[in-house]
Amino acid sequence: MRANRMSLSAIAVLAVALALAGCQTGGGGAALPQDLQGLIQARELTPEQVRAAIQTYVPPGKYDDYLMFTSGGQGGQVLVIGIPSMRLLRVIGVFAPEPWQGYGFSQETQEVLGHHGADRTPISWGDTHHPALSETNGEYDGQFLFINDKGNARMAVIDLRDFATKQIVKNPNAWSNHGAVVSPNTDYVLESTQYAIPFPPRPMPVTQENYNQYFRGLATFWRFDRDKGRIDPARSFQIELPPYWQDLADFGKLVSDGWVFINSFNTERAIGGTLEGKPPVEIGASANDMDYLHIIDYRKAAELVAQGKGTVVNGMRVLTLKEAVDNGVLYFAPQPKSPHGNDVAPRGDYIVVGGKLDPNVTVYSFEKIQQAIRDQAFSGRDPYGVPILKFDAVVAAQVKIGLGPLHTMFDDKGNAYTSLFLDSAVAKWTLGPPYKTGDDAWKLVQKLPVQYNIGHLTAVEGDTVKPGGKYLVAMNKWSVDQYSNVGPLFPQNFQLIDISGDEMKLLYNMPIGVGEPHLAQIIPISKVKSWETYPVGTNPLTMQPDPRAVQPGKQRIVREGNTVHVYMTAMRSHFTPDRIRVRRGDTVVFHITNIEKTKDAIHGFALAGYNINLSLEPGKHETVRFRATTPGVFPFYCTEFCSALHLEMMGYLEVAP
């Protein structure tokens, strides 16, 4: 849109007003460049665009107010993005090797990534979906980040002291998962399965009879040991569920603490069979008007497991479906139709569900759910005996907001924000009492178009007991005409939205060209206490001093039979030792310590011919082990431009025949 004379005047007034405001607050922005108005005119910017640009601009040397942790989709990584600038600050290697960080090359990180597929080949990819920040009393605490791999049913633990992956656990009884959320004090990380398989896992023809009788879903409660910073599989457990496809999950909080909610679809138990003339899964799985919200008393389940209930399957204790029903652990409530979002309000009093094929969001009252359970207000039982609570007995409201409601976040003013996939919009609507009362309750406020086909959305601390408001990010699946054509694989599109006022305002578009992110969480940067350097000699896996860390003056080469240990230091601008001689067939172990203490004095270690590449941040100690199978002379060098004599930071590995 070309700015007309009137809008140019408005731009000038806006720019001057903002500059004066900056001057009054010590921002130093009183002196605007004389050609600013001409620049705005040449760029054909509207007043709204100028305002958005100023709101998102972070001057050089200044920091963003928030960090957004977003899944990297099929890249198997986590992306860290500053807000409001929307600058990509970091990519964290999680489920796939990441060469820049040396992730998957050192002995330590190979152990983290060391899972194998059904054919025993190493798994070298992941489909990250749902990041979950650790919480204390229902608020993000900035210590850990968890994320699931939908493609291989794995869960990862990331330590936010160094933004590095420390642990990956594989679900022994599933091949896919979806919802990944943490309990209000991070004692459990919940992983719900997505696609049912035979339980226990075993070969079996996929027939309708077999599916109904033997296939099952699972809710996995991974026990997290915060002191150790690790998931403890021995103290974890699963709950057997019917073979519906469990989807997003959320823990209760405050009044609903102790409960968890998982939505589901394909209660029809469709299995496809298109070549046999049967309807595809998408048709078969969309026949019912209602699916089931799973309502689970996980504290009671944990007590039963502690009493020895359940059975052990592939090393994991599993509370059976019958035990869950008989002991009042599992209930269903009808939910329309093909639901996706399942989000607990800040006070824990409402559960909001978005049915993809229903124009309403359905809001369940936790108080009504508890009363219905006490009254045994059931409309029946499902084929597996799970009691189904009466829909009218547990629903607080339905709010008509538009087509394709998916996922909901909350602000600090009693408002909810739901993504609308089919409408390509974000709907702002109000919660009921005690958030809003009278005519202000349960009301659609605004729909803001986004570009295009939004999936999930995230807001500042928008799923905690204290939402921050201010910003929301729409995570759009299609970008279509928003960016230059870079080939048929189009980038995803993030859109930053200001939600601080009465109306939502679009601020910024950010292309994502490394995968399809699914969900994100936003935390104030002040809550993240990340390290600037490691204490010298730190093992990055244990975050403790490594017993083989190398001190200056202690560099050496030690032969122990056919194993050669190289104790090496790295500092600007040389490795010590820099010439290493071994024999063909020797096992070579490099123990390398970056003895730098200066912030950002990073080195790399790349060894040609043996697929070795490490990142050596200041103070970090890494270990790499390989067998010298090929005779020759192989240079190694620093991969980070660390000093004026960076190119001279190299050495030779000689492998004698």
Side-chain angles (χ1 to χ4, degrees):
M1 177 187 297
R2 179 176 294 279
N4 57 31
R5 185 179 300 278
M6 183 176 294
S7 62
L8 282 172
S9 299
I11 290 169
V13 171
L14 170 63
V16 171
L18 291 169
L20 289 174
C23 180
Q24 291 168 355
T25 58
L32 288 174
Q34 293 182 352
D35 62 347
L36 177 57
Q37 187 164 334
L39 177 62
I40 293 170
Q41 185 174 15
R43 296 292 306 276
E44 301 181 348
L45 300 177
T46 66
E48 292 76 17
Q49 290 168 337
V50 173
R51 179 185 293 278
I54 294 173
Q55 277 187 262
T56 56
Y57 178 66
V58 177
K62 302 293 184 183
Y63 300 150
D64 284 291
D65 297 324
Y66 303 96
L67 291 180
M68 177 168 66
F69 294 89
T70 173
S71 66
Q74 304 91 330
Q77 300 157 339
V78 167
L79 313 180
V80 186
I81 296 168
I83 288 179
S85 74
M86 298 298 280
R87 297 179 295 194
L88 176 63
L89 301 176
R90 179 73 186 266
V91 177
I92 304 174
V94 185
F95 294 111
E98 206 294 315
W100 176 53
Q101 300 160 48
Y103 182 70
F105 297 88
S106 68
Q107 179 174 290
E108 292 83 1
T109 54
Q110 284 178 342
E111 291 175 1
V112 174
L113 273 173
H115 290 99
H116 295 78
D119 60 356
R120 306 311 303 162
T121 57
I123 300 174
S124 58
W125 70 286
D127 186 9
T128 56
H129 269 232
H130 301 120
L133 286 157
S134 58
E135 297 181 10
T136 299
N137 297 325
E139 296 184 62
Y140 300 156
D141 56 36
Q143 295 183 8
F144 297 95
L145 180 75
F146 308 88
I147 191 159
N148 70 310
D149 168 19
K150 173 177 175 175
N152 302 287
R154 294 183 291 174
M155 186 71 69
V157 180
I158 298 169
D159 193 324
L160 294 183
R161 286 176 294 178
D162 64 348
F163 283 48
T165 304
K166 306 302 180 187
Q167 183 188 25
I168 296 174
V169 292
K170 170 74 179 74
N171 192 321
N173 295 317
W175 279 114
S176 66
N177 65 25
H178 206 242
V181 288
V182 302
S183 56
N185 281 302
T186 323
D187 45 356
Y188 287 103
V189 184
L190 171 62
E191 170 197 12
S192 55
T193 51
Q194 180 93 94
Y195 303 119
I197 62 172
F199 179 76
R202 60 192 185 277
M204 182 177 294
V206 183
T207 65
Q208 193 65 62
E209 181 181 10
N210 283 343
Y211 187 90
N212 293 348
Q213 185 170 355
Y214 299 113
F215 282 49
R216 293 291 184 270
L218 292 166
T220 303
F221 292 83
W222 293 107
R223 181 74 178 182
F224 183 65
D225 186 328
R226 189 187 288 264
D227 292 336
K228 295 180 178 178
R230 296 291 187 275
I231 286 172
D232 185 352
R235 298 168 62 200
S236 304
F237 69 92
Q238 297 178 321
I239 301 175
E240 180 188 2
L241 300 172
Y244 315 136
W245 293 349
Q246 286 76 31
D247 202 37
L248 290 180
D250 203 359
F251 275 92
K253 51 178 74 94
L254 299 178
V255 298
S256 55
D257 188 17
W259 292 75
V260 72
F261 309 91
I262 308 173
N263 59 25
S264 67
F265 61 105
N266 195 21
T267 52
E268 300 85 350
R269 296 175 288 178
I271 57 173
T274 50
L275 287 182
E276 300 168 7
K278 297 178 180 176
V281 169
E282 64 175 315
I283 300 298
S286 305
N288 293 343
D289 287 333
M290 293 283 188
D291 293 288
Y292 295 133
L293 174 67
H294 293 36
I295 302 166
I296 298 174
D297 185 344
Y298 78 91
R299 290 264 174 77
K300 183 178 289 184
E303 292 172 2
L304 293 169
V305 168
Q307 295 168 12
K309 301 289 186 183
T311 184
V312 177
V313 180
N314 291 323
M316 179 76 78
R317 184 162 291 276
V318 183
L319 194 66
T320 67
L321 183 51
K322 185 176 187 309
E323 289 172 317
V325 172
D326 290 348
N327 289 280
V329 169
L330 176 65
Y331 301 90
F332 286 162
Q335 57 179 176
K337 167 179 183 179
S338 298
H340 194 58
N342 168 40
D343 305 287
V344 177
R347 297 171 185 257
D349 43 3
Y350 296 121
I351 302 99
V352 179
V353 168
K356 297 192 291 288
L357 303 181
D358 183 88
N360 302 295
V361 286
T362 301
V363 184
Y364 298 80
S365 161
F366 181 73
E367 181 180 352
K368 288 188 172 185
I369 288 173
Q370 293 302 300
Q371 187 62 49
I373 291 173
R374 288 192 291 270
D375 296 344
Q376 297 192 5
F378 305 141
S379 59
R381 293 178 181 264
D382 87 323
Y384 302 90
V386 182
I388 304 168
L389 302 172
K390 291 181 179 177
F391 183 73
D392 292 340
V394 296
V395 170
Q398 287 190 295
V399 184
K400 191 172 184 178
I401 61 171
L403 299 178
L406 292 182
H407 182 216
T408 298
M409 282 275 145
F410 307 94
D411 70 9
D412 54 343
K413 301 180 181 66
N415 299 305
Y417 303 81
T418 300
S419 54
L420 300 174
F421 180 82
L422 297 177
D423 273 353
S424 286
V426 175
K428 176 181 178 179
W429 54 280
T430 58
L431 293 168
Y435 305 91
K436 302 280 186 180
T437 57
D439 292 340
D440 292 333
W442 309 125
K443 184 173 71 177
L444 176 65
V445 177
Q446 181 195 4
K447 287 170 66 173
L448 180 73
V450 295
Q451 295 157 321
Y452 303 91
N453 295 95
I454 179 173
H456 288 286
L457 46 70
T458 184
V460 175
E461 300 182 284
D463 57 358
T464 72
V465 299
K466 292 183 179 178
K470 199 162 186 177
Y471 296 115
L472 179 146
V473 174
M475 307 175 72
N476 308 323
K477 303 300 182 184
W478 290 37
S479 59
V480 188
D481 55 4
Q482 294 298 293
Y483 304 110
S484 300
N485 188 345
V486 291
L489 184 59
F490 281 58
Q492 309 289 301
N493 187 21
F494 282 0
Q495 291 189 290
L496 179 68
I497 297 168
D498 179 358
I499 60 171
S500 62
D502 292 335
E503 292 189 352
M504 297 181 285
K505 294 180 180 178
L506 178 64
L507 296 178
Y508 195 84
N509 277 20
M510 177 188 184
I512 301 291
V514 296
E516 184 204 343
H518 282 256
L519 188 57
Q521 291 187 327
I522 303 173
I523 182 174
I525 200 167
S526 59
K527 288 189 173 182
V528 180
K529 310 298 183 186
S530 52
W531 289 0
E532 294 184 342
T533 65
Y534 292 98
V536 173
T538 297
N539 181 313
L541 190 59
T542 65
M543 300 296 273
Q544 298 294 320
D546 192 289
R548 292 182 182 267
V550 186
Q551 300 296 321
K554 301 293 185 182
Q555 302 95 335
R556 61 200 184 277
I557 300 174
V558 179
R559 174 174 286 278
E560 297 176 354
N562 292 327
T563 300
V564 178
H565 292 271
V566 180
Y567 294 88
M568 174 183 284
T569 59
M571 67 174 298
R572 285 164 286 178
S573 301
H574 58 274
F575 295 104
T576 304
D578 58 2
R579 291 184 59 185
I580 299 140
R581 295 173 180 167
V582 301
R583 294 191 292 265
R584 181 180 185 179
D586 282 343
T587 295
V588 183
V589 186
F590 279 90
H591 310 274
I592 312 176
T593 304
N594 180 348
I595 58 175
E596 303 267 12
K597 298 180 181 178
T598 303
K599 178 181 174 180
D600 210 8
I602 302 168
H603 299 295
F605 178 82
L607 175 61
Y610 283 94
N611 192 36
I612 291 170
N613 180 53
L614 303 177
S615 175
L616 300 167
E617 295 95 279
K620 188 180 185 183
H621 178 84
E622 288 271 39
T623 307
V624 63
R625 177 188 294 265
F626 63 98
R627 192 158 178 258
T629 56
T630 303
V633 177
F634 304 92
F636 55 83
Y637 70 99
C638 175
T639 55
E640 289 278 346
F641 208 118
C642 55
S643 71
L645 297 177
H646 157 73
L647 295 178
E648 288 79 2
M649 189 169 177
M650 62 83 64
Y652 287 106
L653 170 70
E654 302 171 36
V655 181

